[in-house]
Amino acid sequence: MFSKLKIWKKTKISSNLRERIEKVQQQPIPEHIAIIMDGNGRWAKKRALPRIAGHHEGMKVVRKVTKMANQLGVKTLTLYAFSTENWKRPKTEVEYLMKLPEEFLGTFLPELIEENVKVEIIGSKEELPSHTYNAVEKAVRDTKDNTGLILNFALNYGSRSEIIAGVKSIINDYKNGTLNEQEINEEVFSNHLMTSGLTDPDLLIRTSGEIRLSNFMLWQLAYTEFWFTDVLWPDFAEVHLIEAIETFQRRQRRFGGV
């Protein structure tokens, strides 16, 4: 029940939202929620602000959504923070985006540790600036023994490159004799991806009205339930997360069966 939840510092929840939380907790909560956080730039443009203002506002939403997901008992929250294609954006915007993990984790990490949240990352870390890499690695290291919600950042991540790397890894294991052809199946392939050790997402949320995957977890989303909203990411609130879960709970997942 909601009354038994541990509320993080400064969390304010309306009575209406409290009731909705109580109801969703009476049914299975998606174990793994993945979010494509979209619309920061458009949010800023609507307010005649620079795009980086939208990214800064979006960072605050990450904190709120992480807290709510943890309270609800979600086991993994994967956030698409920066794609391999995002390097094409203006240099000043990319530089700012690379500073956000350091700023976010620098202020939020003590709370994550206190609340038993474990930080993980998927993506190509080698191409990240040193200050970004160091901030993320510190968060991963400092929370590695935590056993609660996994906060998984997809940073410099692209699903196609991930799949190609997985194929190369399987070929290498085959050549080394540690894997034979008959052993290759979906489970083995999944274990060669960056998400090895994580369950596939049960629910995908994409904000801002875009209805596409944008090279995000193409293998892992095979049987995921999708929920799209016109809400721009900086305007995304706890109530929208609850709405997405309510929709998820009304669906019947057949996984190809009847």
Side-chain angles (χ1 to χ4, degrees):
M1 296 296 290
F2 182 79
S3 60
K4 296 181 181 179
L5 288 175
K6 182 176 181 181
I7 307 303
W8 284 15
K9 302 169 193 159
K10 301 181 182 179
T11 300
K12 296 180 180 179
I13 298 176
S14 67
S15 58
N16 178 263
L17 181 57
R18 193 185 304 267
E19 292 174 2
R20 292 175 69 176
I21 290 173
E22 288 181 342
K23 288 182 179 179
V24 299
Q25 286 194 300
Q26 294 171 7
Q27 300 183 59
I29 298 290
E31 291 189 7
H32 186 171
I33 297 177
I35 304 179
I36 300 176
M37 306 177 292
D38 197 12
N40 292 341
R42 275 166 283 175
W43 182 91
K45 184 178 180 181
K46 286 172 61 177
R47 292 160 176 78
L49 296 170
R51 289 176 58 86
I52 60 174
H55 295 309
H56 188 268
E57 197 67 24
M59 182 183 68
K60 299 176 185 177
V61 178
V62 170
R63 183 174 183 268
K64 292 191 296 184
V65 169
T66 300
K67 292 162 95 175
M68 179 55 68
N70 188 56
Q71 291 172 15
L72 289 171
V74 175
K75 293 183 178 179
T76 304
L77 178 65
T78 295
L79 302 176
Y80 202 9
F82 191 89
S83 76
T84 51
E85 290 75 34
N86 287 155
W87 295 106
K88 302 173 186 176
R89 294 186 176 186
K91 183 180 178 181
T92 53
E93 182 176 352
V94 170
E95 288 177 347
Y96 184 79
L97 287 169
M98 288 295 106
K99 292 177 182 177
L100 280 180
E102 185 177 10
E103 181 180 349
F104 174 80
L105 293 169
T107 57
F108 193 26
L109 186 56
E111 280 187 78
L112 294 175
I113 294 172
E114 181 182 345
E115 295 303 320
N116 197 31
V117 173
K118 182 177 183 179
V119 177
E120 293 189 0
I121 181 174
I122 57 174
S124 301
K125 293 182 285 186
E126 298 78 10
E127 298 174 14
L128 298 175
S130 59
H131 62 86
T132 307
Y133 177 86
N134 291 337
V136 172
E137 283 298 299
K138 182 180 188 305
V140 171
R141 183 174 61 252
D142 290 355
T143 62
K144 65 182 177 63
D145 295 324
N146 290 355
T147 58
L149 170 75
I150 296 173
L151 177 57
N152 182 41
F153 288 103
L155 189 60
N156 193 26
Y157 171 85
S159 187
R160 287 185 173 182
S161 61
E162 175 194 30
I163 290 171
I164 290 172
V167 171
K168 290 180 179 179
S169 179
I170 286 178
I171 292 173
N172 186 61
D173 287 349
Y174 174 77
K175 287 182 177 179
N176 291 337
T178 58
L179 184 68
N180 63 57
E181 183 179 350
Q182 288 70 34
E183 292 175 322
I184 299 174
N185 55 28
E186 291 186 11
E187 181 180 0
V188 168
F189 186 72
S190 293
N191 289 336
H192 283 75
L193 297 178
M194 295 175 181
T195 50
S196 175
L198 299 177
T199 60
D200 290 341
D202 300 293
L203 173 64
L204 170 75
I205 297 171
R206 178 161 190 161
T207 59
S208 87
E210 302 294 350
I211 306 176
R212 57 177 177 267
L213 296 181
S214 298
N215 197 20
F216 181 57
M217 301 184 86
L218 302 178
W219 172 270
Q220 297 88 341
L221 296 175
Y223 283 103
T224 299
E225 296 294 326
F226 293 176
W227 189 80
F228 299 101
T229 177
D230 291 334
V231 175
L232 302 176
W233 178 248
D235 292 326
F236 194 86
E238 293 93 335
V239 65
H240 299 116
L241 179 63
I242 296 301
E243 183 180 350
I245 293 174
E246 289 170 338
T247 301
F248 170 85
Q249 292 176 335
R250 289 193 295 267
R251 296 180 184 176
Q252 183 177 358
R253 305 181 74 193
R254 298 184 180 88
F255 299 96
V258 177

